[in-house]
Amino acid sequence: MRNLLKRKGVQSLIASLLCIVLGLLLGYIVLLFINPAGAGQAILAVVKNFMNYSKANLQIKNFGNTLVKTAPLLMCSLSVLFCYKVGLFNIGVAGQYVIGTCGCLYAALAWHWSWLPCLLFAICLGALSGCIVGLLKAYGNVNEVISGIMLNWITLYGTNMLLSNVKDSASPYTIHLKDAAPQAILPSLGLGNLFNKNQYVSIAIPLAIILAIIVMVVLDKTRFGYELRATGNNKNAAKYAGMAEKRNIILTLMIGGALAALGGALLYQTDYEQWQVTASSVPGMGFNGIAAAFLGGLNPIGAIFSSYFIQHITVGGAFVDKTMYASQISDLISSIIIYLCGFVLFIKHAINTGLIRGEDKRKAKQAAAEAGKGGDK
Amino acid sequence: MLLLLQYTLIFSSVLLLVALGGCFSEHSGVINLGLEGIMVIGALGGALMMRYLPADMPGLLMVLIVLLGAVVFGVAYSALLAVASINFKADQTIVGTALNMLGVAGATVLVKAINTAANPDDVSSIIQYVEPKKNFLVNLGGFEFNWFMLVAVIMLIVAYVVLYKTRFGLRLMACGEHPQAAASVGIDVLKMRWAGVLISGAYGGLGGICYILAGVSEWRFEYGVAGFGFLSLAVMIFGQWKPTRIALAALLFGLLRALSNVYAAFDFLKNLNIPGSIYNMMPYIICLVVLAFTSKKSRAPKAEGIPYDKGMR
């Protein structure tokens, strides 16, 4: 038990679970304040998500829908955690997700490209967006958080302007891919049949998981990853050791941008959602990616589970009784969870000091016992 | 033209107030990325006052109570940042980001709950304040003078005096430059940082109520404040953390932001046939360009963003 607690992974897991439990609890308390009558039911509805349906085939189909939206979230959280390992807080992830969406939809609807070129185009745009932040950071000393936010807004307005050209004439949404550009829809390879013929389930989901594993391997097992982590730990030491810290910063943000943009493409190329060209703020997907990255303990494998959890409760918010509460309570819960993630370091510290104190006590006891024995003689 | 001036002054007031808030927090050594959320909660505080105060109240008293409501809510909310980043040494970037999301989500949930409780069919997130809003405006021959313009100027003077002319302000700034040195002469660093963050909460709250009352005509709480908190941070950096320069920067960005609202009223701008989105992007693009050239020799407080550790030197 004691040795188990000493392991870093176990500590991260405990901290994350604590954040989730506390987040749900605080969310429950907020609901109690608003209307005590339905609070318990509302929290259950959020946690149950697709289990709210009574029929098994509907459940499995909606489980598929949650997974469809988990794939882009996972990409966003990978983007955040990849950059964070290098000491960069990539808040531009929200905009990079949007630029990926913009790229793939425009290429599909205006130029009628097929799915793979659309994906690659989105990735390139995302990398370009990340590159701007990286260049500003490396050569202009501009804080990546501020420039990222500015790019988020620029991207949002640019996307609205560009996608207005390919929007449906009757609604503010872009045209359905299945009507105008079926060639750009991601292939399903029969995966949809596993989820009760859910036409939105595609290769996006396994692709995102494979990328999570690749990110882990790159960070932990390659020289490039080592250099990146070294730059993150101490920029000056890395520079002194002969690593190109400027190049590393730019490359990191490019990769982060590419990952997030791919996330946008992985969602919109399933035709599950259409872009609303009158959107007045960037979608929450990118910001939820930040939540998922930290909840997953900044570990790519952890991010798979935390992304699923965040998406699970976000979708679950739709099942809340609208006559009592707003569906935004799931946003509320996930933002409380991110807030609590700020305390993770403290929780780990508390576990460690607890362990050390326990050790000290045991040693003191042992010493006392030995001293006692000595006295007997 | 008058309209442009009016919008410029009002947006500048918002940016100035919030940027000064950021300035206090950063001078004490805490990066306040949660200004956006603080603005939303401050706006919520003011809006709730307007909803529940009797309509026949004297105008000036109403204005004061609404401002007070915004300040109290802003300060209370910023305490969340203070406790996490000062006492628990949490990562200030994460906590700030969380506060932004929490502000929008929390305010939306609350306002929707209030609306639905009053009328079960009403699931909107709007608080009506058409009547009380009139108390804030004084019509001066076609130019709508807004009390917030005065508030912003007063708060600017207050910020300048407090930061540079009082013992408290100088000590506050010392905590952002070299907290260990400050502690060695008997300054309580943690207390000073708490003060910095709470003051930024007050300024942020004022900026928030100013934004929803004057900057936009109708406000849904789920929209947040459209990046104004972050724009203010850019204004603060552009102003090099100095109140007077921040004021000039706020005027510039206020003008840019106002142009996107009223460009259609100018014939020569309209004739250029530039899409509205370009005007919307303008403040952000110019902000990026400006930052690229000014951040190199930044006068940022040296210890900002680093949790205070007594043992460090």
Side-chain angles (χ1 to χ4, degrees):
Chain A
M1 178 66 192
R2 196 166 281 277
N3 286 331
L4 201 63
L5 271 179
K6 269 186 197 158
R7 288 178 59 177
K8 270 201 175 131
V10 176
Q11 288 185 358
S12 300
L13 187 66
I14 292 176
S16 299
L17 290 177
L18 211 60
C19 288
I20 290 177
V21 171
L22 280 175
L24 288 173
L25 193 71
L26 287 173
Y28 176 66
I29 293 172
V30 171
L31 293 185
L32 275 183
F33 270 108
I34 294 173
N35 188 344
Q41 229 169 8
I43 283 286
L44 267 185
V46 170
V47 176
K48 271 163 79 179
N49 180 5
F50 55 86
M51 302 293 274
N52 283 305
Y53 290 104
S54 52
K55 287 203 186 111
N57 55 356
L58 272 179
Q59 280 183 5
I60 193 93
K61 194 162 190 174
N62 282 282
F63 177 49
N65 285 347
T66 306
L67 285 182
V68 167
K69 291 198 80 174
T70 303
L73 183 59
L74 176 56
M75 298 313 299
C76 289
S77 74
L78 287 177
S79 163
V80 174
L81 81 86
F82 191 82
C83 295
Y84 199 79
K85 291 271 168 162
V86 194
L88 298 164
F89 191 78
N90 185 19
I91 204 168
V93 61
Q96 291 150 2
Y97 170 80
V98 173
I99 210 170
T101 305
C102 177
C104 78
L105 285 181
Y106 199 79
L109 292 167
W111 302 330
H112 299 283
W113 289 9
S114 68
W115 65 273
L116 190 59
C118 285
L119 272 188
L120 295 176
F121 184 55
I123 290 175
C124 291
L125 285 181
L128 188 70
S129 169
C131 184
I132 296 175
V133 180
L135 284 172
L136 286 172
K137 170 87 181 174
Y139 292 103
N141 193 26
V142 180
N143 187 326
E144 77 277 9
V145 176
I146 305 286
S147 57
I149 294 282
M150 297 298 140
L151 273 176
N152 284 352
W153 290 98
I154 296 170
T155 313
L156 174 74
Y157 291 122
T159 300
N160 281 346
M161 190 167 68
L162 208 59
L163 290 185
S164 296
N165 298 329
V166 291
K167 85 176 186 67
D168 192 38
S169 49
S171 73
Y173 292 93
T174 51
I175 312 170
H176 278 270
L177 286 184
K178 71 174 187 306
D179 300 332
Q183 81 288 348
I185 293 181
L186 293 173
S188 144
L189 298 182
L191 284 171
N193 293 334
L194 295 177
F195 295 91
N196 193 24
K197 300 209 175 64
N198 187 329
Q199 76 267 34
Y200 303 118
V201 175
S202 67
I203 57 166
I205 297 157
L207 193 64
I209 293 176
I210 292 170
L211 278 166
I213 295 168
I214 292 178
V215 165
M216 188 182 71
V217 171
V218 167
L219 276 175
D220 288 352
K221 305 282 181 221
T222 65
R223 185 180 145 168
F224 176 60
Y226 180 80
E227 278 201 14
L228 292 188
R229 282 186 291 134
T231 312
N233 282 336
N234 190 333
K235 201 166 82 176
N236 296 329
K239 193 176 170 186
Y240 185 69
M243 298 172 189
E245 104 290 5
K246 283 200 164 81
R247 190 205 63 182
N248 283 350
I249 287 175
I250 297 170
L251 263 183
T252 306
L253 283 162
M254 282 177 78
I255 294 172
L259 287 169
L262 179 60
L266 287 185
L267 177 62
Y268 284 86
Q269 279 189 256
T270 60
D271 208 22
Y272 182 74
E273 273 186 17
Q274 288 72 41
W275 179 263
Q276 188 189 351
V277 299
T278 51
S280 61
S281 61
V282 278
M285 188 65 84
F287 298 112
N288 279 341
I290 299 174
F294 287 103
L295 188 61
L298 293 170
N299 176 311
I301 305 302
I304 298 176
F305 295 101
S306 61
S307 302
Y308 177 75
F309 174 77
I310 298 273
Q311 195 55 50
H312 183 91
I313 62 167
T314 306
V315 178
F319 293 98
V320 169
D321 186 352
K322 299 277 188 331
T323 57
M324 290 193 216
Y325 311 109
S327 60
Q328 274 89 353
I329 57 166
S330 44
D331 293 347
L332 185 75
I333 293 172
S334 43
S335 50
I336 293 175
I337 291 177
I338 313 185
Y339 179 73
L340 293 171
C341 282
F343 293 82
V344 163
L345 211 67
F346 174 77
I347 298 173
K348 283 185 186 168
H349 182 72
I351 296 176
N352 281 330
T353 36
L355 283 176
I356 291 168
R357 228 175 256 162
E359 202 102 305
D360 285 351
K361 247 185 212 163
R362 221 184 50 216
K363 270 186 194 150
K365 226 183 227 171
Q366 229 165 23
E370 269 165 27
K373 262 186 231 158
D376 283 343
K377 272 181 190 174
Chain B
M1 202 64 207
L2 216 53
L3 200 64
L4 180 67
L5 183 68
Q6 190 177 315
Y7 270 105
T8 302
L9 285 181
I10 218 48
F11 283 131
S12 303
S13 308
V14 179
L15 291 173
L16 175 60
L17 283 170
V18 183
L20 287 175
C23 178
F24 268 101
S25 170
E26 300 223 347
H27 271 308
S28 78
V30 180
I31 297 181
N32 192 346
L33 279 180
L35 279 171
E36 188 109 349
I38 291 174
M39 282 175 78
V40 173
I41 297 294
L44 175 74
L48 286 179
M49 292 301 143
M50 283 188 283
R51 184 188 160 94
Y52 289 113
L53 286 177
D56 53 353
M57 211 171 187
L60 197 62
L61 189 64
M62 165 87 98
V63 170
L64 285 177
I65 294 182
V66 169
L67 292 185
L68 193 69
V71 167
V72 169
F73 270 59
V75 168
Y77 193 63
S78 66
L80 285 178
L81 171 70
V83 75
S85 62
I86 301 171
N87 299 83
F88 288 95
K89 299 186 179 159
D91 185 313
Q92 297 169 5
T93 319
I94 305 174
V95 175
T97 309
L99 286 189
N100 291 335
M101 297 169 70
L102 191 63
V104 177
T108 312
V109 167
L110 201 71
V111 172
K112 280 193 176 178
I114 290 172
N115 281 345
T116 342
N119 173 9
D121 296 328
D122 184 4
V123 288
S124 72
S125 57
I126 307 174
I127 289 186
Q128 292 294 341
Y129 46 73
V130 181
E131 281 303 313
K133 186 181 168 175
K134 287 180 184 150
N135 288 326
F136 285 86
L137 302 172
V138 183
N139 204 328
L140 299 174
F143 176 79
E144 275 189 347
F145 175 78
N146 195 308
W147 282 117
F148 284 112
M149 299 169 190
L150 186 66
V151 170
V153 173
I154 293 175
M155 294 306 275
L156 169 66
I157 297 169
V158 168
Y160 181 81
V161 172
V162 168
L163 275 180
Y164 292 118
K165 306 288 174 202
T166 66
R167 193 155 73 163
F168 168 77
L170 293 170
R171 286 184 166 182
L172 186 89
M173 290 201 283
C175 292
E177 293 294 335
H178 200 314
Q180 287 80 13
S184 73
V185 292
I187 300 173
D188 188 339
V189 176
L190 297 189
K191 211 189 254 172
M192 280 295 164
R193 289 197 166 177
W194 261 90
V197 174
L198 293 186
I199 294 174
S200 84
Y203 273 89
L206 277 179
I209 186 69
C210 177
Y211 177 77
I212 69 156
L213 263 180
V216 287
S217 50
E218 185 195 62
W219 201 53
R220 287 169 189 277
F221 275 81
E222 68 239 47
Y223 286 175
V225 288
F228 257 71
F230 288 107
L231 212 50
S232 306
L233 281 180
V235 165
M236 179 194 72
I237 295 173
F238 189 31
Q240 294 289 302
W241 291 265
K242 294 191 179 82
T244 41
R245 283 210 213 170
I246 289 176
L248 293 178
L251 275 175
L252 172 68
F253 279 94
L255 173 70
L256 288 171
R257 189 65 184 69
L259 263 182
S260 71
N261 275 40
V262 295
Y263 72 93
F266 295 95
D267 284 336
F268 71 97
L269 285 178
K270 215 174 161 189
N271 291 338
L272 288 177
N273 250 338
I274 300 170
S277 296
I278 299 281
Y279 287 100
N280 282 331
M281 282 188 220
M282 251 342 179
Y284 306 103
I285 294 177
I286 292 182
C287 174
L288 268 187
V289 174
V290 163
L291 285 179
F293 287 106
T294 54
S295 297
K296 199 81 186 176
K297 44 180 196 310
S298 147
R299 271 293 302 128
K302 289 218 170 49
E304 67 168 11
I306 308 163
Y308 173 55
D309 180 355
K310 264 188 229 162
M312 258 175 42
R313 288 204 294 162

